[in-house]
């Protein structure tokens, strides 16, 4: 077994999208899974994102469907759009932070390492709590933008920090190379989806 042991990925979808966009490339999620499968025993890959309520078509829907059929456990939450009374601007209410944190804590006893794809400083306390349970935490974001996309206290708390720019060659693609809809419907090739319950034994 690899020295990295059992790994779980926790992807803050909107944060990772914004970080990759700021760096000028798209994430190739098939290659991303393959990259971390090569680093250890990949037990789960979670992808968290919000979906706007009452929106008939969402540009993220094809991605969600593809991830769901290709080894990722997709967790979504409906958000609500509203008009800010002060500014008159349209805003969206909804966050996946708590959902991600709860799942990470539940999975902590089953893994050796958690890879968090987010630069959100709100996750610093989660990283610290996971570390107290003996889990090594890797944070993936970037310092290569101005301003950096990762909160300084989150980066410092992590056991390992990976700049997303360093993964471009292994898990990125140029935005013009986006897959056709036919590719988005390919059958599963990676992990078996499912939920690990508290009483489950993970081998």
């Amino acid at each position: 077994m690899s020295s990295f042991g059992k790994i779980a990925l926790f992807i803050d979808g909107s944060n990772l999208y914004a970080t990759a966009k700021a760096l000028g490339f798209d994430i190739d999620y098939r290659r991303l899974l393959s990259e971390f499968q090569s680093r250890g025993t990949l037990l789960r890959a979670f992808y968290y994102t919000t979906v706007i309520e009452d929106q008939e078509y969402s540009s993220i829907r094809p991605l969600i469907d593809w991830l769901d059929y290709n080894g990722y456990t997709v967790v979504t939450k409906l958000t609500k759009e509203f008009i800010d009374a002060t500014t008159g601007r349209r805003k969206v209410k909804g966050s996946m932070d708590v959902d991600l944190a709860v799942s990470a804590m539940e999975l902590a006893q089953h893994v050796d390492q958690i890879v968090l794809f987010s630069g959100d400083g709100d996750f610093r306390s989660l990283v610290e709590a996971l570390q107290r349970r003996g889990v090594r935490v890797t944070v993936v974001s970037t310092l290569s933008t101005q301003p950096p996309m990762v909160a300084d206290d989150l980066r410092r708390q992590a056991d390992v920090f990976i700049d997303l720019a360093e993964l471009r060659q292994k898990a990125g693609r140029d935005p013009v190379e986006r897959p056709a809809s036919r590719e988005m419907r390919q059958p599963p090739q990676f992990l078996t989806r499912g939920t690990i319950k508290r009483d489950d034994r993970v081998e």
Side-chain angles (χ1 to χ4, degrees):
M1 180 182 290
S2 165
S3 59
F4 286 94
K6 297 175 182 176
I7 306 172
L9 309 185
F10 283 83
I11 299 172
D12 176 348
S14 60
N15 194 286
L16 178 58
Y17 172 81
T19 302
K21 186 176 181 182
L23 291 171
F25 68 94
D26 284 346
I27 299 296
D28 184 325
Y29 287 95
R30 186 190 307 280
R31 295 177 67 203
L32 183 69
L33 263 193
S34 182
E35 171 62 23
F36 282 91
Q37 283 175 324
S38 72
R39 298 186 181 207
T41 303
L42 184 58
L43 294 185
R44 290 285 185 273
F46 293 94
Y47 183 93
Y48 293 83
T49 190
T50 54
V51 178
I52 297 175
E53 191 177 43
D54 300 327
Q55 192 174 65
E56 287 187 13
Y57 175 78
S58 171
S59 59
I60 199 172
R61 181 63 63 185
L63 173 61
I64 291 173
D65 290 342
W66 186 89
L67 292 172
D68 202 36
Y69 280 103
N70 287 274
Y72 287 84
T73 299
V74 178
V75 184
T76 61
K77 178 188 285 186
L78 291 177
T79 62
K80 293 187 177 182
E81 286 187 300
F82 67 98
I83 304 298
D84 188 297
T86 307
T87 64
R89 292 182 178 178
R90 187 180 70 169
K91 291 191 174 181
V92 176
K93 183 178 183 180
S95 170
M96 299 296 294
D97 291 5
V98 173
D99 304 74
L100 188 155
V102 169
S103 295
M105 291 302 292
E106 288 179 341
L107 201 63
Q109 62 183 313
H110 300 293
V111 297
D112 302 301
Q113 181 178 183
I114 280 178
V115 183
L116 174 64
F117 290 79
S118 182
D120 189 339
D122 290 342
F123 287 125
R124 189 204 64 79
S125 58
L126 168 64
V127 172
E128 188 177 26
L130 289 167
Q131 290 168 334
R132 286 197 299 268
R133 284 159 177 75
V135 178
R136 285 176 55 80
V137 181
T138 295
V139 167
V140 181
S141 186
T142 190
L143 291 166
S144 303
T145 56
Q146 289 297 330
M149 299 289 285
V150 62
D152 188 61
D153 55 349
L154 176 65
R155 180 178 62 85
R156 290 174 183 273
Q157 186 67 47
D159 294 294
V160 178
F161 173 73
I162 297 176
D163 198 302
L164 186 63
E166 297 171 14
L167 291 176
R168 181 171 189 158
Q169 296 301 316
K170 295 179 178 179
R173 66 164 172 259
D174 192 282
V176 300
E177 298 174 7
R178 285 178 180 156
S181 58
R182 186 166 55 104
E183 182 184 336
M184 302 293 272
R185 299 192 187 99
Q186 287 185 351
Q189 294 182 17
F190 292 102
L191 306 177
T192 302
R193 291 184 297 121
T195 303
I196 293 181
K197 299 181 177 63
R198 190 178 302 278
D199 299 329
D200 286 351
R201 290 186 62 191
V202 179
E203 300 301 334

